[in-house]
Amino acid sequence: MSEEMYNELAQTVVAGEPEEAERLAKQCLEQGLEPLDCINNGLTKGIQRVGELFATGEYFLPDLIIGAEAMKTALGVLEPALTEGGQGREVLGHAVLGTVEGDLHDIGKTLVGTMLTANGFDVTDIGTDVPAADFVQAAQENDATLIGASALLTTTMSEQQKIIETFKEAGLRDQVKIMIGGAPVTKSWAEKVGADGFAKDAISAVTLAKRLVDGS
Ligand code: B1M
């Protein structure tokens, strides 16, 4: 039953049907399905399929845009359910989160932010296409101890390195932990650029963030 719902959700993203995606997302919650399972087993599978079809030339940019729109509409229903009941808990740390300069992909970054919020972090989301210097400024303005930089393009990954260098130049590298992520990002890239850690998905991002602020 849940498997069927996940497949239908995925299909709304592949077919680019925002209204149907929203309707099904609401239905999932009404049926008591876990929002994170709906995201991981439904929506994410759908958008990955869209990416594959784009890579093989069967889909074009408008298909990518409308697929993302369907996913975001459904996330608009599911993400608030992830953070429900999270108020009033001890704050584990303040995180500044953004997508690097030149990169407009925000779905994964926003999901990481939602999961961090749901797990006790104060999150300042500084958006997409964010220059390195703005990460530093936001960290100072918000007294952030954790920085998260997302990159989805092989051509924008180098910005993650630039962010780390910019923190060093500002004399603030020791005051923050910097984690990076995004589809093309790997552990070895994180080591190469001197990040404090890399997470492959939103759940591991929470585990990593807790470890980084804990110092363990
Ligand atoms: Co773009 N795009 N896109 N795209 N897009 C990819 C990334 C691509 C792999 C598609 C493909 O060719 N198969 C490809 C990149 C190829 C490459 O770099 N080698 C690509 C391309 C080429 C482009 C354009 C250049 C296309 C063009 O214009 N010709 C263009 C670039 C625009 C720009 O950024 N300057 C472009 C545009 C777009 C849209 C705007 C249409 C849309 C984004 C809409 C939006 O975000 N608002 C879009 C989409 C939807 C995709 C795919 C299909 C899906 C991305 C997504 O949302 N995934 C993507 C293909 C793919 O990834 N399979 C693709 C779902 C999301 C939940 O997963 O973002 O991976 P993800 O996030 C995960 C993890 O990576 C991790 O946790 C998240 C949750 O589990 N994570 C972190 C992410 N950030 C993290 C940060 C962390 C920790 C973990 O710590 C800080």
Side-chain angles (χ1 to χ4, degrees):
M1 180 62 183
S2 52
E3 218 38 59
E4 206 175 297
M5 285 296 282
Y6 299 149
N7 289 339
E8 282 184 38
L9 258 184
Q11 191 47 38
T12 61
V13 176
V14 177
E17 297 170 335
E19 284 171 19
E20 185 60 7
E22 185 178 24
R23 189 189 67 75
L24 275 178
K26 286 179 182 160
Q27 204 176 316
C28 285
L29 294 183
E30 281 158 18
Q31 290 184 6
L33 298 180
E34 283 297 325
L36 192 58
D37 289 341
C38 299
I39 294 170
N40 289 337
N41 303 333
L43 298 175
T44 300
K45 294 241 164 89
I47 200 76
Q48 280 167 351
R49 181 73 191 127
V50 170
E52 286 163 13
L53 291 166
F54 180 72
T56 55
E58 288 162 80
Y59 269 20
F60 298 97
L61 194 54
D63 303 300
L64 212 58
I65 294 171
I66 189 73
E69 191 55 40
M71 177 149 184
K72 288 182 86 166
T73 309
L75 284 175
V77 175
L78 297 170
E79 285 188 327
L82 285 175
T83 48
E84 261 168 28
Q87 291 87 359
R89 287 180 308 172
E90 183 200 357
V91 175
L92 297 179
H94 196 123
V96 161
L97 193 61
T99 303
V100 302
E101 185 164 23
D103 200 321
L104 300 173
H105 296 85
D106 74 343
I107 296 175
K109 177 266 299 164
T110 305
L111 190 53
V112 169
T114 303
M115 288 298 290
L116 288 176
T117 305
N119 285 277
F121 285 84
D122 266 350
V123 176
T124 302
D125 187 332
I126 53 174
T128 60
D129 191 13
V130 182
D134 290 10
F135 277 86
V136 175
Q137 193 183 336
Q140 288 175 306
E141 284 171 3
N142 294 286
D143 248 338
T145 46
L146 182 66
I147 307 300
S150 178
L152 262 285
L153 300 169
T154 45
T155 49
T156 58
M157 287 164 71
S158 55
E159 284 296 317
Q160 293 175 323
Q161 185 167 21
K162 189 168 168 190
I163 289 165
I164 294 165
E165 294 305 323
T166 309
F167 271 95
K168 281 187 194 160
E169 284 159 20
L172 295 170
R173 182 64 186 96
D174 293 341
Q175 292 173 37
V176 292
K177 298 288 181 185
I178 303 181
M179 67 175 194
I180 60 174
V185 178
T186 58
K187 189 166 179 277
S188 61
W189 172 251
E191 284 166 2
K192 185 173 176 218
V193 300
D196 294 301
F198 137 84
K200 69 173 177 17
D201 57 33
I203 297 175
S204 14
V206 172
T207 312
L208 172 64
K210 284 184 175 168
R211 184 164 57 77
L212 291 178
V213 297
D214 219 18
S216 56

